[in-house]
Amino acid sequence: MIVLGIETSCDETSAAIVKDGRTILSNVVHTQAEHTPYGGVVPEIASRCHIMLLPGIIKQAMEEAKLSWNEIDAIAATRGPGLASSLLVGWSTAKGLARKLNKPLIAINHIEAHVHSVFLNPEAPDPHEALPMLALAVSGGHSSLFKIQEYGKLELIGRTVDDAAGEALDKAAKLLKLGYPGGPIIDKLGRTTPPRKNIFPEGRVREGTETGGLNHELCMSFSGLKTSLLHYVTHTPPTCDADVAQIASDYQEAVVNAIVKRCDKALVGMKHLAVGGGVSLNSRLREKLMELCDKRKVQLLLALPKHCGDNAAMIAGLAGMGRGITGEEAFALDIAPSWQP
């Protein structure tokens, strides 16, 4: 099955063609630089860029795959979650293409696609054979833990109750005047300076906090961490680049520890830990997750770096595995900015 995938959930404009869920024939990704002066994604700018870029990116994906439209079996696109105005561009384009070409349309959940991104690595096991599995989707918009006992059935067992991990890192970088996107900058600084212990809180969620019925011990909170950083730099302002690097390293350690400790609690009975999403590129997170999995005798499945961020290969790949909503039901669907797997 050959699927053309479209991804426009935030500020990446992407189209890809994937065969049988795992073999990538093309994957074109454009990351919008227009948001840098604003220190964050501006929805109106993002959707306008998608409108301008998407037709050319789809054409490039087709050319790189060296396929004709007749060889495409289905059109898949992100329906949600994400920014409404961005989702609308990709989903509407997919609907139009599917109608024009008389091909099936497949609505894909963005978070579940991040989980599938680990299986785009040719060295990863078959998704059906990696079970039972704990999956961590960690990005600028999401920090969620899923238990997967049966392929295609994701059970949400933990999540952030406020900011996502990537958002927390970006906000810290903005506060420290490091630039945008902040996550990669903080990661780079963290590699130059070992973190100190217990400088910032590790995102615990207290019992009684609203978690939507989830175990509070498997949930995370990063808004207090950001406030703690603000108080720290206000009372102990950095005086040189080395001070900034140290603070960035300490802050990153708190974010990483919050994630790793929740994974540790949730790994009971699991065979694999799959980690996808933009923050899974963070070198400190990868290092500590590898240590955890070695200790727990669990195999760690990481997405290849080129598949960690938002990309259409994970959309087309997941659709090629038989996931998503298709048939006439798909054509009747609107976007779902808060859609959970």
Side-chain angles (χ1 to χ4, degrees):
M1 184 176 181
I2 297 177
V3 180
L4 166 64
I6 295 172
E7 157 61 24
T8 62
S9 65
C10 192
D11 62 330
E12 270 84 20
T13 312
S14 181
I17 298 172
V18 177
K19 181 180 179 181
D20 297 333
R22 298 189 63 182
T23 303
I24 299 173
L25 305 182
S26 66
N27 186 33
V28 182
V29 183
H30 175 87
T31 301
Q32 301 168 8
E34 289 82 355
H35 308 278
T36 301
Y38 305 98
V41 177
V42 181
E44 294 82 359
I45 294 176
S47 57
R48 192 182 314 134
C49 287
H50 289 316
I51 292 170
M52 294 172 59
L53 294 167
L54 189 55
I57 284 176
I58 293 173
K59 181 181 179 183
Q60 184 179 345
M62 289 293 294
E63 290 174 349
E64 290 185 8
K66 298 178 181 177
L67 295 176
S68 68
W69 286 109
N70 290 333
E71 294 173 283
I72 300 296
D73 295 312
I75 310 294
T78 305
R79 180 189 171 224
L83 298 176
S85 54
S86 290
L87 288 167
L88 191 59
V89 178
W91 185 237
S92 300
T93 301
K95 276 187 175 182
L97 266 177
R99 285 297 192 200
K100 173 70 175 177
L101 299 170
N102 194 28
K103 305 285 185 180
L105 173 68
I106 306 173
I108 291 296
N109 182 280
H110 180 80
I111 300 176
E112 186 179 356
H114 269 309
V115 174
H116 181 71
S117 67
V118 305
F119 298 106
L120 296 176
N121 184 342
E123 297 181 2
D126 182 282
H128 299 86
E129 297 174 359
L131 307 175
M133 179 173 73
L134 180 69
L136 169 67
V138 58
S139 66
H142 312 284
S143 296
S144 304
L145 274 172
F146 300 93
K147 184 182 290 186
I148 308 175
Q149 301 276 11
E150 182 180 341
Y151 182 74
K153 294 186 178 180
L154 280 68
E155 177 191 356
L156 180 66
I157 60 172
R159 63 177 177 87
T160 175
V161 298
D162 40 55
D163 294 349
E167 183 182 3
L169 292 169
D170 284 342
K171 286 181 176 178
K174 187 174 183 180
L175 185 60
L176 293 171
K177 298 180 173 58
L178 294 175
Y180 177 85
I185 302 172
I186 288 181
D187 185 14
K188 184 177 180 180
L189 290 175
R191 291 196 291 268
T192 67
T193 307
R196 297 170 293 179
K197 290 185 178 180
N198 305 319
I199 301 301
F200 296 107
E202 290 179 4
R204 288 184 300 173
V205 175
R206 293 178 180 174
E207 190 172 2
T209 302
E210 176 54 46
T211 62
L214 301 175
N215 183 347
H216 73 278
E217 292 186 345
L218 298 179
C219 292
M220 299 159 270
S221 172
F222 294 115
S223 62
L225 175 60
K226 181 192 66 176
T227 303
S228 178
L229 174 63
L230 176 61
H231 288 321
Y232 187 93
V233 298
T234 300
H235 294 98
T236 315
T239 59
C240 61
D241 290 346
D243 287 348
V244 173
Q246 184 66 68
I247 294 170
S249 179
D250 297 338
Y251 183 91
Q252 175 181 258
E253 191 73 0
V255 173
V256 167
N257 283 341
I259 296 169
V260 173
K261 286 185 176 182
R262 273 68 187 176
C263 289
D264 190 14
K265 288 181 180 292
L267 270 175
V268 178
M270 296 293 104
K271 185 177 178 182
H272 292 85
L273 170 59
V275 186
V279 180
S280 69
L281 263 177
N282 182 277
S283 60
R284 183 59 174 164
L285 178 60
R286 288 189 168 221
E287 177 185 343
K288 299 208 75 170
L289 286 174
M290 287 177 186
E291 292 173 357
L292 171 64
C293 288
D294 285 345
K295 180 184 76 173
R296 299 295 298 272
K297 303 295 188 292
V298 170
Q299 185 177 352
L300 177 62
L301 302 176
L302 291 167
L304 294 173
K306 61 185 176 181
H307 300 141
C308 288
D310 294 345
N311 67 90
M314 67 183 190
I315 305 300
L318 186 61
M321 296 297 297
R323 298 292 300 146
I325 301 171
T326 191
E328 282 303 311
E329 180 185 359
F331 285 101
L333 293 174
D334 201 351
I335 57 169
S338 300
W339 191 24
Q340 295 301 309

